[in-house]
């Protein structure tokens, strides 16, 4: 997202590769230029150098670019980066109802997985989101957006400097350091159709000059609040109509209850005088299976219950439309503070302290809980007496229903982060040093606050006749009963702690043809610890819709691991044309001991190189290439994941029973996991034909092996070897799926490659103002992966597969005009079309075997500086009110559109007032 900023010497000053061209051959020698320019550390290298001398592709996003885009959070910002594929957003987080990671926003460079993108704050790690689940990574909600000075995105993965787990790349959020003065700003956004609004306020200030006062203290407070957005508030979600386009993806858990009859019970029903079926003479002809609903009349053209023969309710049952009034964006409140103090204790020595405190509170209100398929045969639950008399069915019945009388399942997720860094930098003799202690903590609490009831009391109430789920409610009795059995204090608490000590030394080695060769050596010692506990209310294993498979699965757990890393780097300018970077890193991982299972994982060690080379034949051309390897040890959660009982993320079709449903699912860690490994290569060229134009083109390849994941849900039911495996698919005596058992495994390889393209133009100043333009895009040329080690490579490019769509082309285009105090910016975000998920049986005729349309958004923003201290910025996001394209994907709760990249807010207007003092 390189939007042209202030003109210095070239339009391409924002990317380090272009700076390298000018610095190498800019009319003066490198050594002479070095005397006038400060040395800074650039992401991708531990050696300080004149800004721009890097051979690696680093995208820089400045504060002014962030403000132009109209975003206020780190997660929103990364959605504008073309190399970020399938990242976790607030909307996608809603879908993780039982996965344990609601509230988590994560980056996903190159689509390699959130766990393969390393997120840093001022060059050092933060503790990962504590709640265990599929993704291990830093919660972007904990990044203090108001304090960000700029963001550096190293798109060349597997950094030998910061950690070889960065297979997709490194994102380094840089905050202000030597800041003096103060700044206050307020921001407000509202949407055309209501809901999803946002308010924020930022206050920051700094005092003291390191050069004169020998100290500096800086602090920034950022407050944000986002309003809930419901599907009923968006026209496009009503037009996309789940019941009419994707009826197989409706829910069979309706109210009144759907009843699954035995063949004998169905025969009895049809012999009775209770004729309400759709067959000849009013007979009941249920399909699929023998599913009927004795309150079916209330579902015909009803809401949220509907009758759709292709739905899981079938011809004689009801279907629940959970998208009728679902929550798209949750209520959220975020507060963060970052402070930094630096003291110049001597001419060549500084000490510093950095403090981060953040809190994100998110309320999720999902559709009412489901009952699970209640086996009346074993629980002894009969139809009410009047229905027994009408239907003749006097034996226990199996049924399923939605707890509509209990209200929405409402949970509150609170993520708290704290970080303390104490460090020192300076110079001793010929060596420069940088060392720090980093204590980082993330705490996540997932609390059930409404809509959750006691399962045992629910079953007892139905069995005794105190509650009737089989017919339409005629009074408030059902609601009062549900209120009497609600559980409001069931919670999971997770805590992740990272303690580390790091240090590095740099010095000149020798003079070479292009300047001084530089050496850096460094080490990091880190302890990671995760803790999990649950409240007594949850330990009872009695919360309907939020239950574990057995009591011991909710036992408190605490696991830790020690990691030691050592690295060295040499930067060698062989001549004014050739420069090389050589780096190597060695890591050792101590085994993780699990007190619950008494298992200890094996120790791991790895050595990974990184080589980069740049060539500058002239001041107009820079060539560069790099090669490296990566290594990601299984996270503690992946090894010893607290077992969770939920449902499949996707709707799937069981070929044995013909049932389409989200099946119950138990998810396990696996202490036998092997580490993921990768190899990556990149090569590119930067061109600057004149002071107004420049461009870069980088080709990259990434090969990843031993990918850690669970087997794909659809993969299970596409292959008999899996859906007939009782270790994976557990069935009842009638052959219906009872539940699935998935565990983390090393599931094969992933190969991807592509081109990153950047084009920048900045015109000369004229009487009409100054015009500029920039384009940043990513063209994916290959994305293939295995669902398991024994299967062939599957194509994931230009098609929705498993959990995301990898579009072939993504870009961000910006057109800017500046004239005096006025600035206008027109932005265009584009994602190309792709083949839809198109799973047979999960869409109505006409909505399968299709492509998803391209997604094109235009934003118009502008600013006016009343004085040098007072500026007003405003704009329209999504000028043409373009909705996310329709998709038949079944992975996410937000079906009919894709929450990983779609913005459901529609046209939005914002205003941002900023005052400096």
């Amino acid at each position: 997202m390189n939007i042209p900023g202030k003109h210095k010497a070239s339009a391409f000053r924002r990317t380090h590769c272009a700076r390298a061209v000018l610095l190498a051959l800019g009319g003066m020698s490198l050594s002479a230029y070095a005397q006038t320019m400060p040395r800074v550390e650039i992401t991708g290298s531990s050696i300080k150098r004149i800004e721009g001398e890097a051979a690696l592709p680093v995208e820089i996003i400045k504060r002014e670019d962030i403000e132009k885009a109209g975003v206020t959070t780190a997660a929103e910002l990364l959605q504008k980066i073309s190399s970020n594929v399938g990242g976790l957003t607030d909307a996608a987080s809603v879908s993780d109802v039982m996965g344990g990671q609601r509230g988590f926003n994560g980056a996903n460079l190159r689509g390699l997985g959130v766990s393969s993108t390393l997120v840093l704050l001022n060059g050092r790690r933060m503790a990962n989101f504590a709640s265990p689940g599929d993704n291990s990574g830093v919660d972007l909600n904990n990044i203090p957006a108001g304090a960000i000075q700029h963001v550096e995105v190293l798109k060349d993965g597997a950094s030998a400097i910061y950690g070889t787990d960065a297979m997709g790349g490194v994102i380094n959020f840089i905050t202000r350091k030597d800041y003096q003065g103060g700044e206050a700003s307020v921001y407000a956004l509202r949407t055309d159709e209501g809901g999803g609004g946002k308010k924020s306020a930022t206050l920051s200030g700094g005092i003291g000059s390191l050069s004169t006062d020998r100290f500096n203290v800086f602090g920034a407070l950022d407050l944000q609040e986002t309003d809930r957005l419901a599907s009923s508030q968006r026209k496009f979600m009503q037009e996309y109509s789940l019941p009419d386009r994707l009826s197989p993806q409706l829910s069979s858990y309706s109210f009144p209850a759907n009843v699954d009859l035995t063949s004998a019970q169905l025969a009895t029903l049809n012999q009775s005088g209770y004729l309400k079926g759709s067959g000849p003479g009013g007979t009941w002809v249920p399909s699929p299976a023998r599913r009927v609903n004795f309150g079916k009349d209330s579902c015909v053209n009803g809401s949220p219950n509907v009758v759709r023969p292709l739905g899981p309710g079938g011809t004689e049952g009801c279907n629940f439309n959970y998208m009728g009034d679902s929550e798209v964006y949750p209520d959220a409140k975020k507060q963060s503070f970052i402070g930094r103090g630096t003291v110049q204790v001597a001419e060549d020595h500084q000490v510093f302290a950095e403090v981060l405190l953040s809190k994100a509170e998110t309320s999720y209100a999902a559709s009412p809980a489901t009952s699970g398929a209640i086996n009346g045969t074993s629980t002894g639950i009969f139809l009410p007496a009047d229905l027994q008399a009408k239907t003749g069915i006097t034996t226990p019945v199996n049924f399923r229903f939605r707890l509509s009388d209990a209200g929405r399942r409402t949970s509150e997720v609170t993520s708290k982060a704290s970080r303390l860094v104490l460090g020192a930098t300076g110079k001793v003799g010929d060596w420069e040093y940088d060392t720090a202690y980093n204590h980082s903590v993330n705490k996540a609490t997932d609390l059930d606050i409404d809509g959750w009831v006691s399962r045992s009391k629910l079953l007892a109430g139905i069995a005794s006749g105190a509650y009737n789920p089989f017919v339409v409610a005629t009074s408030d009795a059902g609601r009062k009963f549900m209120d009497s059995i609600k559980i409001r204090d069931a919670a999971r608490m997770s805590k992740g702690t990272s303690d580390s000590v790091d240090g590095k030394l740099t010095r000149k080695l020798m003079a070479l043809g292009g300047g001084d060769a530089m050496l850096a050596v460094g080490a990091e010692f880190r302890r990671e610890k995760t803790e999990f506990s649950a409240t007594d209310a949850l330990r009872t294993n009695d919360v309907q819709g939020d239950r574990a498979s057995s009591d011991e699965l909710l036992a408190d757990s605490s696991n830790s691991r020690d990691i030691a890393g050592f690295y060295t780097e040499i930067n060698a300018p062989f001549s004014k044309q050739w420069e090389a970077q050589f780096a190597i890193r060695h890591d050792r991982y101590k085994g993780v001991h699990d007190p619950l299972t008494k298992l200890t994982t094996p120790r791991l060690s790895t050595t990974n190189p990184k080589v980069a080379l740049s060539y500058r034949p002239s001041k107009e051309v820079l060539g560069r290439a790099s090669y490296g390897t990566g290594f990601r040890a299984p996270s503690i959660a992946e090894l010893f994941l607290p077992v969770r009982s939920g449902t499949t993320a996707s709707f799937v079709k069981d070929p044995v029973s013909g049932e389409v449903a989200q099946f119950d699912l138990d998810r396990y860690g696996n202490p036998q996991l092997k580490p993921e490994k990768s190899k990556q290569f990149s090569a590119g060229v930067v061109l600057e034909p004149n002071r107004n134009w420049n461009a870069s083109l980088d080709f990259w390849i990434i090969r990843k092996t031993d990918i850690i994941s669970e087997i794909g849900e659809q993969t299970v039911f596409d292959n008999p070897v899996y859906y007939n495996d009782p270790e994976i698919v557990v069935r009842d005596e009638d052959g219906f799926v009872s539940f699935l058992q998935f565990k983390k495994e090393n599931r094969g390889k992933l190969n991807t490659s592509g081109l990153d393209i950047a084009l920048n133009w900045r015109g000369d100043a004229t009487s009409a103002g100054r015009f500029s333009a920039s384009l940043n895009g990513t063209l994916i040329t290959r994305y293939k992966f295995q669902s398991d080690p024994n299967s062939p490579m599957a194509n994931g490019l230009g098609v929705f597969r498993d959990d995301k769509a990898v579009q072939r082309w993504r870009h961000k285009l910006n057109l800017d005009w500046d004239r005096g105090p006025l600035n206008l910016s027109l932005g265009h975000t584009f994602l190309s079309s792709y083949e839809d998920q198109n799973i047979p049986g999960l869409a109505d005729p006409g909505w399968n075997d299709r492509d998803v349309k391209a997604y094109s958004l235009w934003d118009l923003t502008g600013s006016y500086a009343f004085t040098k201290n007072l500026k007003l910025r405003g704009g329209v996001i999504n000028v043409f009110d373009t909705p996310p394209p329709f998709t038949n994907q079944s992975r996410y709760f937000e079906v009919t559109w894709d929450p990983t990249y779609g913005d459901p807010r529609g046209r939005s207007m914002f205003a941002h007032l900023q005052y400096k003092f």
Side-chain angles (χ1 to χ4, degrees), residues 66-72 184-191 197-202 223-225 860-864 866 870-877 905 907-915:
I66 299 172
E67 292 174 350
K68 285 182 181 180
V71 299
T72 63
S185 67
V186 291
Y187 172 99
L189 177 145
R190 73 172 183 84
T191 62
K198 182 190 294 185
K199 300 182 288 291
S200 73
T202 302
L223 307 174
Q224 297 194 36
E225 184 174 331
L860 179 62
T861 67
S863 67
Y864 187 83
F866 295 98
L870 180 63
K871 179 186 287 188
L872 175 65
R873 179 175 294 280
V876 182
I877 307 298
R905 292 176 298 178
R907 185 186 295 117
S908 307
M909 285 71 68
F910 77 92
H912 180 208
L913 184 64
Q914 181 185 66
Y915 179 71

Side-chain angles (χ1 to χ4, degrees), residues 253 372-373 375 400 645-646 654 657 659 662-666 717 728-741:
Y253 294 91
N375 189 330
R400 59 186 68 201
S645 189
D654 175 21
S657 65
E659 184 176 14
Q662 287 178 284
F663 296 114
D664 290 338
L665 170 63
D666 287 348
F717 293 104
I728 297 176
V729 181
V730 181
R731 299 181 181 275
D732 61 21
E733 58 187 13
D734 295 323
F736 287 90
V737 176
S738 293
F739 62 94
L740 307 176
Q741 298 184 116

